[in-house]
Amino acid sequence: MKLKHYFLLLALGIVLLAGVALFATFRSHPTLFYVTEGFVVLILFYLWYFYRKTIRPYDTLIGGMELVRELDLTTRLARSGQYETDIIVRTFNDLLSRLRSEHLRLEEQYTFLNLLIEASPMGVIQCDLDGNTTTMNPAAREMLSPAIEESIKSLPLGEVTTVRTPGEPQLFRISHLSFPDRGFQHPFFLIESLTSEIRLAEKAAYERVIRMIAHEVNNSVAGIISSLTGDEAERLTALSAFVTRFADVVKIPQPQLQLCDLSEEVDACRPFLENMCTQAQVQVDFQLTDDAIPVHLDTVLFQQVLINIVKNAVESIGERQRAGDGTLEKEKGHITITTTPILAGELPQLIITDNGHGIHASIAKNLFTPFFSTKPQGQGLGLLLIRDILTSHHCTFNLHTDPIDHLTRFTIQFPKK
């Protein structure tokens, strides 16, 4: 029961007692009756004054508490004119002003941090106290892959690991961290792409090594070849050519981009690619869309990429044939080159599919690393050349063997024009 209800009960009790007293003195003591009546009026007036000065301000304070509970920090209490109550009102209004300022500061800080997390190039995954994912920013959604998800599940709190995604030249650093809040440690994950930094460091390292080796070998060979004849001279010439191939990798020019139609550029390479596949007894199909696919390309560098990809596919088919796989003898070696029309919200794509030997999961993570090759005589330059050219075109790409249909697909996505 509220305090004002107790007050009303008290006032009602006093009025009843006064009524009884007035009734008792009405006939026997007329003078006392009027005195009592005057006294009752004074008591009623005092009760009304007491209510205004005490109970009503009390109700006002209770209403202010309700506003705080509902987080209405803009309303202020009016002064009642009662000294003690006004002290409480002033203190209460000052407290509301401070609470509102702190609330606005925290709200601005929270909004800023949310916007910062949303715009951050680092992936941020927030978890609840049980480790279940609650939210993630756009960068995390873009980076997330099965390999990263698996690493997140097994990464202990406070540890850091690096993950190379299979089939893609992407390297990520994952940190499992936490922050204290209200006495609890809230876990979260940071995902940082190291691809560009590692790529630049690798390129700088192998450029220095290759230039030094090429310079020393070619200088030495040039002086020796002139004094030799026959097989020895041929072997040294082959050695010089071998080293020169490495040097060519670091001499890739910056792309001179121009607006082209992707299907037309692929079709321009058709005669050379068909001749390459025919010599290897491999069937090649071109499934090029009739829709225009405008992309920015350096046509010369793009042809090098396409030729190297198809060459690798032909060699993979030959490797499978040499392995004596009977299924390939039935279906023959087959390469399909596909361009996909641009749909709403999607990027232009070029897909080269082959039914060759395929890529084993154990080596998929090492693709596109410098000088890595599974071929006995391979130098690991083909995929390195492809990687550097496509990266300079700001393309994303993926090379993997589908575990269901066992076809290998090299998928290239071109940026929007």
Side-chain angles (χ1 to χ4, degrees):
M1 186 178 293
K2 295 183 178 180
L3 183 61
K4 67 179 181 179
H5 295 154
Y6 287 111
F7 179 82
L8 291 175
L9 289 177
L10 175 63
L12 181 61
I14 293 175
V15 170
L16 290 176
L17 289 175
V20 171
L22 288 174
F23 180 78
T25 58
F26 177 69
R27 294 183 180 277
S28 57
H29 301 85
T31 303
L32 183 61
F33 169 78
Y34 291 112
V35 172
T36 304
E37 186 177 17
F39 184 71
V40 169
V41 171
L42 288 175
I43 290 177
L44 291 175
F45 178 78
Y46 179 78
L47 289 175
W48 173 79
Y49 180 82
F50 184 80
Y51 178 82
R52 283 185 57 113
K53 293 295 184 179
T54 306
I55 305 302
R56 184 178 290 181
Y58 174 80
D59 283 343
T60 302
L61 293 176
I62 294 299
M65 296 301 177
E66 293 292 333
L67 294 175
V68 172
R69 189 175 66 177
E70 295 173 4
L71 296 180
D72 181 0
L73 304 180
T74 58
T75 305
R76 296 294 181 268
L77 300 182
R79 295 186 180 183
S80 64
Q82 206 277 332
Y83 177 76
E84 291 81 1
T85 304
D86 285 347
I87 293 177
I88 299 175
V89 168
R90 285 196 299 270
T91 304
F92 184 83
N93 288 339
D94 183 59
L95 177 62
L96 281 184
S97 298
R98 294 184 183 183
L99 283 176
R100 185 171 185 273
S101 298
E102 185 68 14
H103 180 75
L104 289 176
R105 187 185 70 82
L106 291 176
E107 189 172 293
E108 290 173 357
Q109 186 180 50
Y110 178 79
T111 302
F112 172 76
L113 289 176
N114 272 348
L115 293 174
L116 183 64
I117 291 173
E118 289 294 306
S120 172
M122 296 181 63
V124 181
I125 300 178
Q126 301 179 50
C127 304
D128 58 21
L129 297 178
D130 296 324
N132 300 314
T133 300
T134 55
T135 59
M136 64 178 69
N137 66 344
R141 284 191 289 270
E142 185 178 345
M143 296 177 184
L144 210 58
S145 67
I148 291 180
E149 289 180 350
E150 190 64 29
S151 298
I152 286 176
K153 291 178 182 178
S154 58
L155 186 63
L157 184 63
E159 297 292 327
V160 178
T161 187
T162 56
V163 177
R164 187 184 295 274
T165 55
E168 300 177 32
Q170 300 287 328
L171 184 67
F172 299 94
R173 177 167 58 201
I174 305 175
S175 306
H176 190 184
L177 308 172
S178 65
F179 62 90
D181 182 37
R182 301 175 186 177
F184 295 96
Q185 291 293 329
H186 294 259
F188 67 98
F189 293 90
L190 288 182
I191 308 175
E192 181 181 4
S193 176
L194 303 178
T195 305
S196 58
E197 290 82 356
I198 296 297
R199 205 172 274 165
L200 290 174
E202 287 177 347
K203 188 174 179 62
Y206 70 66
E207 279 182 357
R208 289 194 297 268
V209 173
I210 287 175
R211 286 197 182 103
M212 181 183 66
I213 293 175
H215 179 268
E216 295 298 326
V217 171
N218 287 333
N219 283 351
S220 300
V221 168
I224 298 174
I225 288 179
S226 60
S227 62
L228 297 177
T229 59
D231 293 340
E232 291 82 1
E234 290 181 3
R235 281 197 294 270
L236 286 177
T237 301
L239 175 61
S240 179
F242 176 82
V243 174
T244 301
R245 285 193 63 198
F246 281 97
D248 289 340
V249 174
V250 302
K251 295 179 182 178
I252 300 174
Q254 286 298 316
Q256 303 299 314
L257 301 178
Q258 55 184 342
L259 189 61
C260 309
D261 183 274
L262 179 59
S263 294
E264 289 182 0
E265 294 303 319
V266 174
D267 194 55
C269 296
R270 184 194 293 257
F272 183 85
L273 299 177
E274 286 180 339
N275 182 59
M276 181 196 305
C277 293
T278 300
Q279 291 180 3
Q281 298 182 343
V282 173
Q283 180 183 350
V284 59
D285 289 335
F286 290 82
Q287 299 178 358
L288 308 179
T289 178
D290 294 330
D291 299 337
I293 307 179
V295 292
H296 286 91
L297 292 176
D298 184 313
T299 56
V300 176
L301 293 178
F302 173 71
Q303 289 176 6
Q304 291 187 42
V305 168
L306 187 56
I307 290 169
N308 272 276
I309 294 174
V310 174
K311 177 177 175 289
N312 286 341
V314 169
E315 291 175 350
S316 178
I317 291 172
E319 184 180 352
R320 185 175 175 185
Q321 289 172 336
R322 287 190 297 272
D325 190 333
T327 58
L328 187 58
E329 295 178 1
K330 296 178 182 178
E331 58 177 312
K332 305 297 182 183
H334 189 272
I335 296 174
T336 304
I337 302 175
T338 308
T339 56
T340 59
I342 302 177
L343 302 177
E346 295 187 1
L347 298 175
Q349 285 193 140
L350 171 64
I351 305 173
I352 298 95
T353 307
D354 70 79
N355 61 344
H357 190 268
I359 302 170
H360 195 272
S362 60
I363 65 172
K365 63 181 180 180
N366 294 319
L367 296 174
F368 300 99
T369 55
F371 314 122
F372 173 80
S373 177
T374 59
K375 304 169 187 175
Q377 304 300 323
Q379 302 168 22
L381 297 180
L383 289 180
L384 187 61
L385 178 72
I386 292 169
R387 186 196 77 175
D388 288 349
I389 292 177
L390 290 180
T391 300
S392 67
H393 280 73
H394 306 289
C395 296
T396 57
F397 47 97
N398 178 279
L399 174 60
H400 78 288
T401 299
D402 194 298
I404 298 176
D405 59 18
H406 306 292
L407 297 177
T408 301
R409 293 178 176 85
F410 198 121
T411 303
I412 305 172
Q413 286 189 328
F414 297 86
K416 293 181 179 179
K417 64 175 184 176

